Amino acid sequence: MIEISNVHKSFGDVEVLKGVSLTVEKGEVLSLIGGSGSGKSTLLMCINGLEPINAGRILVDDIDVHARNTNLNKLRQKIGIVFQQWNAFPHLTVLENVMIAPRKVLGKGKSEAEAIATEKLRHVGLSEKLHVYPSKLSGGQQQRMAIARALAMSPDYMLFDEVTSALDPQLVGEVLDTMRMLSSEGMTMIVVTHEMSFAREVSNRVAFFHKGLIHEIGAPEQIFGNPLREETRAFVQSSAR
Ligand code: ADP
Ligand code: MG
């Protein structure tokens, strides 16, 4: 379970998160929507300790992410993160790229790391691509490789930050299908997305981020069908277009 209480985060003089509180239960899919610059990516970075916070607290399975004595490397093994783009090592095959973390971070031997990577790549539908170089993959396949790479650490949580935003429209579906599959398997996920139909269909709850705060949070039917707040309504309408 992820418990975020009253988190404040500034870059220099600019306060980007202004007291964010949020709980994500095991097995839940939470979508984060909201305008550009509202703080969504920053929140994800704070959850896995890539960014320090100025006040408040984030607990992941009761581990205080920002406590001085927290082992961040260990914590990050629990939390997979996939970004808009991941630059795989171009001189390594798809399989070799996915093997890196199990080998280097988990200390697995070569054959075990290979077995893990092969299994995760199969899971995202890339069994045919194990021995090709990343540049030979489509954008959608590259994002599925990035998901496999995160899964190779056997995380308990997955964070997705606009993973389909850089893709040609015809490639978006295959990546969303992979995420849908993970959610149906019970993966706990926080998904920053512009894909409103995905957020509506797959999420248990949707949080609308506005000016560094969760302005409204609720079931997808509420947020998309009957938002309580004016700004939510305006955002959802403009995104529907
Ligand atoms: P979103 O993901 O919702 O578009 P971000 O979390 O990326 O928003 O950014 C929120 C605000 O924080 C923006 O104004 C952005 O310019 C600023 N910001 C993000 N990262 C940094 C950084 N590393 N240094 C300074 N400002 C940053
Ligand atoms: Mg962002």
Side-chain angles (χ1 to χ4, degrees):
M1 175 177 181
I2 298 177
E3 294 169 272
I4 300 169
S5 352
N6 200 23
V7 165
H8 291 254
K9 164 73 184 171
S10 300
F11 291 109
D13 293 341
V14 182
E15 193 172 38
V16 171
L17 301 178
K18 299 177 180 167
V20 173
S21 297
L22 177 66
T23 298
V24 183
E25 307 281 347
K26 263 284 156 83
E28 189 177 22
V29 178
L30 178 97
S31 289
L32 278 183
I33 62 172
S36 179
S38 58
K40 305 179 298 296
S41 296
T42 302
L43 182 65
L44 296 191
M45 305 283 264
C46 293
I47 291 172
N48 81 344
L50 284 169
E51 283 286 350
I53 61 177
N54 300 95
R57 193 169 68 164
I58 301 178
L59 299 179
V60 176
D61 295 342
D62 293 325
I63 300 167
D64 185 340
V65 177
H66 300 90
R68 200 180 294 240
N69 58 358
T70 294
N71 181 337
L72 280 179
N73 286 326
K74 196 146 177 239
L75 175 85
R76 288 187 193 125
Q77 292 171 26
K78 277 179 177 295
I79 311 172
I81 185 160
V82 183
F83 299 99
Q84 198 168 1
Q85 238 166 349
W86 170 51
N87 294 317
F89 292 103
H91 60 288
L92 298 179
T93 65
V94 168
L95 180 65
E96 287 165 345
N97 267 286
V98 175
M99 285 170 62
I100 294 173
R103 290 216 70 181
K104 298 244 154 104
V105 184
L106 301 180
K108 305 284 188 195
K110 185 162 181 240
S111 63
E112 196 183 347
E114 195 170 301
I116 294 169
T118 302
E119 157 59 19
K120 300 307 175 187
L121 284 162
R122 184 197 61 74
H123 203 48
V124 302
L126 290 178
S127 286
E128 318 278 274
K129 303 289 180 186
L130 301 184
H131 304 295
V132 308
Y133 290 93
S135 61
K136 300 287 183 218
L137 299 181
S138 72
Q141 291 168 338
Q142 291 192 17
Q143 285 302 67
R144 285 188 282 139
M145 170 179 63
I147 293 171
R149 175 179 173 264
L151 292 175
M153 300 294 286
S154 303
D156 296 317
Y157 301 92
M158 287 285 285
L159 312 179
F160 296 90
D161 195 354
E162 299 195 19
V163 293
T164 60
S165 295
L167 297 178
D168 292 337
Q170 75 272 19
L171 301 178
V172 168
E174 65 189 63
V175 177
L176 295 180
D177 284 346
T178 302
M179 294 162 67
R180 207 174 270 125
M181 171 186 75
L182 293 179
S183 92
S184 73
E185 292 167 355
M187 178 62 79
T188 309
M189 307 182 4
I190 302 181
V191 183
V192 174
T193 187
H194 292 308
E195 298 290 335
M196 297 300 152
S197 57
F198 177 85
R200 190 171 191 149
E201 268 172 56
V202 180
S203 318
N204 300 100
R205 284 185 305 154
V206 177
F208 170 60
F209 237 76
H210 182 61
K211 296 187 174 167
L213 281 170
I214 293 177
H215 201 66
E216 182 166 355
I217 183 166
E221 307 81 63
Q222 177 197 323
I223 300 295
F224 293 110
N226 191 21
L228 301 176
R229 305 193 70 172
E230 188 46 45
E231 293 82 1
T232 316
R233 186 179 300 275
F235 180 80
V236 167
Q237 270 176 8
S238 71
S239 304
R241 258 174 297 152

